[in-house]
Amino acid sequence: MAWLGLYDGNTNEVRPVTWRGEGAQRYLDGLKLYVQNGPSDDEDLLSRAIREQQFKLTHDPAGDLRPGLGQLALECGYRSIAAFPLMVAGKPVGVLSLYTGEVGFFDDEEIKLLEELAGDISFALDHIEKAERLHYFAYYDTLTGLANRTLFHDRVNALVLAAELNGRKVAIVLAELEQLRSINETLGRQVSDAVIVEVAHRLHESIGEACQLARISSEHFAFVLDDVRNETEIASFAENRIMGCLKAPLTAAKRDISVSAKVSVALFPNDGASAELLVRNAEAALQLAKDTQQKLLFYSPQINTRVAERFMLETSLRHAIERDEFVLHYQPKTDLRSGRIAGLEALIRWNDPATGMVPPDKFIPMLEETGMILEVGEWALRKSALDFMQWHTLGLQPPSVAVNVSPVQLRQKDFVATLERVASSCNHGLRGIGIEITESQIMENFADSVAKLKAIRIAGIEISMDDFGTGYSSLSYFSRLPIDTVKIDRSFIINMENDQHSASIVSMVISLAHALNLKVVAEGVETNKQAGMLKIQNCDEAQGYLFAKPLPHTDIGALLQAQLRPS
Ligand code: C2E
Ligand code: MG
Ligand code: MG
């Protein structure tokens, strides 16, 4: 009789996997084989062969096996027993054991042959193990243990094939963690890996086996839902099972971290007939969901066009930076009492050689998403400082210039240091330069923003709160802000002529700002009536097409020049 057993290093158990010969079943049923960590009285021949990694032979089963087992061997008619350890990469992985009723059956010749056989089996096991490992790497994500892209595609294709026959719908759902990139940037790779593992665990718990879960790229989790009926069902899956399981903060690398996911969906048969196409379309939808701040987006054919357009815009903007295609226009802020230009706002434009002057709302969001705004924002500050000094050198007595600062810039840890760097790179520092930031920008992280704004003000830079009235700042927060000026949003100015409600808000904001010693600027003033009302309400300055549109540097020079002439 012969049998082959595999040894599990974790449990120390040897499990028979194949056997042949008389009495095998009876003998193996009675065999419970554990390998001991060291020599002991009740250790038998088979365990010792594995522990000592050496061939063992006995002609006395009753003496060399455990008492019960030795007896069983004799009952089965075995007189001589040989055990050959099976080794892979220098470690025992099993045992090949042979039994015969003939004493002295295993002579030197026989043992040599059997040792060669054990060597061949070990070689085969080694090969199988490597193949299994390769299979694992080819089909599983090593960080989370989830299926990878290849395996996910295989599963989707199998489901699609079945769905085609049954006329069913299959949904491919992708999810991306919104904060992953910033976690990686601020807390490092180890923490972001820990977050991914924890999220994989939560998703698995929340979703179970029914919807097959995978990690198909460093940023994307994927699910396939079989036999879905309608979009509502999928939306509720996304909301409850995916977004829902991420609501509570998770602990990764001993920190509490909040994460949320954006989700996209592509459906078989409408959005593609193969896993590859379905996943690609779901990825396009996910990209657009991110770009347009949507939580959940279903694929539609227009999405690919929009994603392609956005990709082209991003590429063109990178070129625009390299080729220095941005320009600053300046819009005057007029003192309502004297009618003189009391300030200027720098407003960026992209002079695209293909289409001409592009307004900022067409490209600022993309600059912000890609982080290019950091470079462009720094450029705008430096350029404004240079333009201011040029007017100054020409003797034009320019008023201060306010530069718009994006939330992405303000969020940077080194924002204050960046301003200092820009100042030191200009001959006269940031003289005459102020900044405009929006209300919601400050509220995003109040304490952090206030600390930065205080540092900026100490450096002599004036701060204006832009688009006031569109955010949600409470009065108590407002009174604690280190700012110099409030700019009332254009939406209130447009309506103040015809809507008593808006007029009251404007009047209230002016009084409140003055009570806090702040200057007030009205934005988007287009009519004499608006200007008149603002003047009566003691508004300090007005900015709008009634006075001047944003103008190139030289035109502003001419306006400042005209202002110098005695009237
Ligand atoms: P904002 O800072 O509130 O700028 C005022 C916008 O209102 C400007 O649009 C200006 O041209 C427009 N405007 C001024 N007076 C009137 C008026 O009487 N009627 C109407 N209908 N509009 C008026 P623009 O130049 O298109 O800028 C739009 C926004 O783009 C700005 O809003 C600002 O948030 C952003 N932006 C502009 N330049 C920069 C920049 O250098 N950096 C950053 N981060 N954002 C910028
Ligand atoms: Mg502004
Ligand atoms: Mg504004």
Side-chain angles (χ1 to χ4, degrees):
M1 190 276 277
W3 66 274
L4 193 150
L6 289 181
Y7 165 58
D8 180 343
N10 293 320
T11 60
N12 281 349
E13 191 185 357
V14 180
R15 205 168 22 87
V17 287
T18 182
W19 49 86
R20 277 279 182 284
E22 209 159 305
Q25 199 66 58
R26 181 173 169 217
Y27 178 75
L28 292 175
D29 280 350
L31 177 100
K32 276 264 175 296
L33 192 57
Y34 287 93
V35 177
Q36 324 250 350
N37 291 327
S40 72
D41 290 345
D42 62 347
E43 183 182 36
D44 68 29
L45 175 100
L46 298 169
S47 325
R48 210 161 59 240
I50 295 176
R51 186 175 60 75
E52 293 180 359
Q53 304 174 13
Q54 264 178 13
F55 151 70
K56 300 285 170 195
L57 174 67
T58 179
H59 302 299
D60 176 18
D64 285 337
L65 295 184
R66 278 194 327 267
L69 191 61
Q71 191 56 41
L72 181 63
L74 289 174
E75 283 171 22
C76 292
Y78 308 141
R79 294 290 173 273
S80 291
I81 304 176
F84 299 84
L86 302 174
M87 309 288 294
V88 168
K91 291 208 172 99
V93 294
V95 65
L96 169 67
S97 192
L98 293 103
Y99 299 70
T100 159
E102 196 181 315
V103 178
F105 173 84
F106 297 106
D107 59 15
D108 289 352
E109 186 76 359
E110 191 75 18
I111 289 168
K112 193 162 167 272
L113 265 171
L114 287 167
E115 269 182 330
E116 275 176 20
L117 176 65
D120 289 348
I121 296 172
S122 297
F123 178 80
L125 286 174
D126 189 20
H127 179 76
I128 291 168
E129 191 172 85
K130 282 189 182 134
E132 271 178 0
R133 226 178 304 143
L134 277 178
H135 175 271
Y136 186 82
F137 285 129
Y139 291 106
Y140 291 90
D141 168 45
T142 45
L143 180 63
T144 58
L146 297 176
N148 70 6
R149 196 180 189 97
T150 311
L151 183 53
F152 185 70
H153 276 201
D154 287 356
R155 287 173 176 174
V156 171
N157 277 330
L159 287 174
V160 158
L161 208 64
E164 201 163 26
L165 296 173
N166 310 330
R168 297 205 305 236
K169 281 186 187 166
V170 176
I172 307 301
V173 183
L174 299 190
E176 177 173 331
L177 294 179
E178 296 183 80
Q179 300 78 1
L180 201 58
R181 199 166 283 182
S182 70
I183 292 172
N184 208 350
E185 281 167 9
T186 51
L187 302 174
R189 171 76 184 272
Q190 260 186 332
V191 180
S192 72
D193 277 358
V195 168
I196 291 169
V197 170
E198 176 59 21
V199 168
H201 179 70
R202 284 212 188 161
L203 290 171
H204 196 258
E205 295 253 291
S206 160
I207 284 153
E209 295 296 333
C211 327
Q212 318 229 19
L213 171 60
R215 183 168 174 243
I216 59 165
S217 69
S218 59
E219 297 184 338
H220 295 165
F221 289 100
F223 317 82
V224 52
L225 306 181
D226 191 17
D227 195 16
V228 288
R229 283 180 297 275
N230 51 43
E231 293 196 350
T232 320
E233 186 188 337
I234 303 166
S236 115
F237 169 82
E239 180 80 35
N240 300 326
R241 301 291 194 84
I242 302 178
M243 298 167 186
C245 81
L246 301 176
K247 273 197 180 130
L250 49 86
T251 310
K254 297 193 187 129
R255 289 162 183 274
D256 282 345
I257 296 175
S258 296
V259 292
S260 52
K262 290 235 181 280
V263 177
S264 70
V265 184
L267 279 167
F268 170 82
N270 285 6
D271 304 335
S274 70
E276 204 175 27
L277 189 56
L278 287 162
V279 170
R280 203 182 327 134
N281 285 341
E283 280 174 331
L286 194 55
Q287 182 60 44
L288 195 68
K290 283 196 306 177
D291 294 349
T292 52
Q293 308 296 321
Q294 295 179 76
K295 279 271 170 209
L296 170 67
L297 192 62
F298 284 79
Y299 173 79
S300 70
Q302 299 81 353
I303 281 179
N304 278 337
T305 325
R306 287 199 55 193
V307 169
E309 278 168 12
R310 294 187 64 82
F311 179 72
M312 275 162 58
L313 175 63
E314 184 181 338
T315 312
S316 312
L317 286 171
R318 290 196 191 282
H319 286 147
I321 294 180
E322 282 162 22
R323 296 174 194 156
D324 209 8
E325 289 170 1
F326 293 106
V327 290
L328 286 183
H329 283 184
Y330 296 90
Q331 187 177 32
K333 299 172 188 173
T334 303
D335 184 305
L336 280 167
R337 273 173 294 265
S338 65
R340 293 174 64 84
I341 299 175
L344 294 164
E345 177 175 9
L347 293 159
I348 198 166
R349 276 95 184 84
W350 168 26
N351 194 358
D352 179 9
T355 59
M357 227 35 119
V358 185
D361 32 318
K362 294 273 184 296
F363 62 88
I364 295 269
M366 176 63 88
L367 292 180
E368 290 180 333
E369 272 152 39
T370 53
M372 289 190 267
I373 192 70
L374 298 178
E375 198 175 332
V376 176
E378 207 175 312
W379 170 85
L381 280 162
R382 192 172 292 116
K383 176 76 173 127
S384 303
L386 291 176
D387 283 353
F388 174 87
M389 276 320 294
Q390 203 178 359
W391 290 317
H392 178 78
T393 313
L394 291 170
L396 299 175
Q397 298 177 16
S400 66
V401 178
V403 181
N404 290 283
V405 165
S406 147
V408 180
Q409 290 172 274
L410 186 66
R411 262 205 304 270
Q412 301 299 309
K413 266 200 229 112
D414 63 350
F415 177 62
V416 179
T418 304
L419 284 185
E420 285 162 359
R421 195 178 62 240
V422 175
S424 62
S425 74
C426 302
N427 267 346
H428 298 270
L430 285 178
R431 192 177 148 190
I433 298 301
I435 60 169
E436 288 193 8
I437 46 177
T438 60
E439 197 180 347
S440 41
Q441 215 167 318
I442 300 171
M443 288 305 155
E444 232 178 55
N445 188 346
F446 187 77
D448 179 61
S449 306
V450 166
K452 284 175 180 159
L453 296 183
K454 277 188 176 155
I456 295 168
R457 263 176 113 209
I458 290 168
I461 294 171
E462 285 198 0
I463 300 165
S464 302
M465 188 189 260
D466 206 351
D467 304 345
F468 185 73
T470 55
Y472 301 97
S473 54
S474 73
L475 284 182
S476 78
Y477 277 115
F478 184 56
S479 62
R480 283 155 54 199
L481 283 177
I483 55 172
D484 304 277
T485 302
V486 174
K487 298 185 75 182
I488 306 175
D489 191 64
R490 192 166 73 90
S491 53
F492 300 101
I493 310 299
I494 295 172
N495 295 325
M496 67 186 292
E497 280 177 50
N498 307 314
D499 170 25
Q500 184 53 44
H501 197 63
S502 293
S504 306
I505 290 176
V506 170
S507 147
M508 216 179 63
V509 172
I510 295 170
S511 309
L512 175 71
H514 283 164
L516 294 169
N517 266 333
L518 303 173
K519 188 163 76 179
V520 188
V521 179
E523 297 189 280
V525 179
E526 292 186 1
T527 67
N528 281 316
K529 190 168 173 197
Q530 289 163 350
M533 288 172 81
L534 289 162
K535 204 171 164 183
I536 291 168
Q537 291 172 355
N538 268 331
C539 182
D540 302 289
E541 293 170 15
Q543 179 181 351
Y545 295 168
L546 174 67
F547 303 96
K549 289 202 164 180
L551 296 165
H553 175 254
T554 42
D555 295 3
I556 293 289
L559 282 182
L560 292 173
Q561 180 75 56
Q563 200 168 255
L564 286 176
R565 283 184 221 117
S567 49

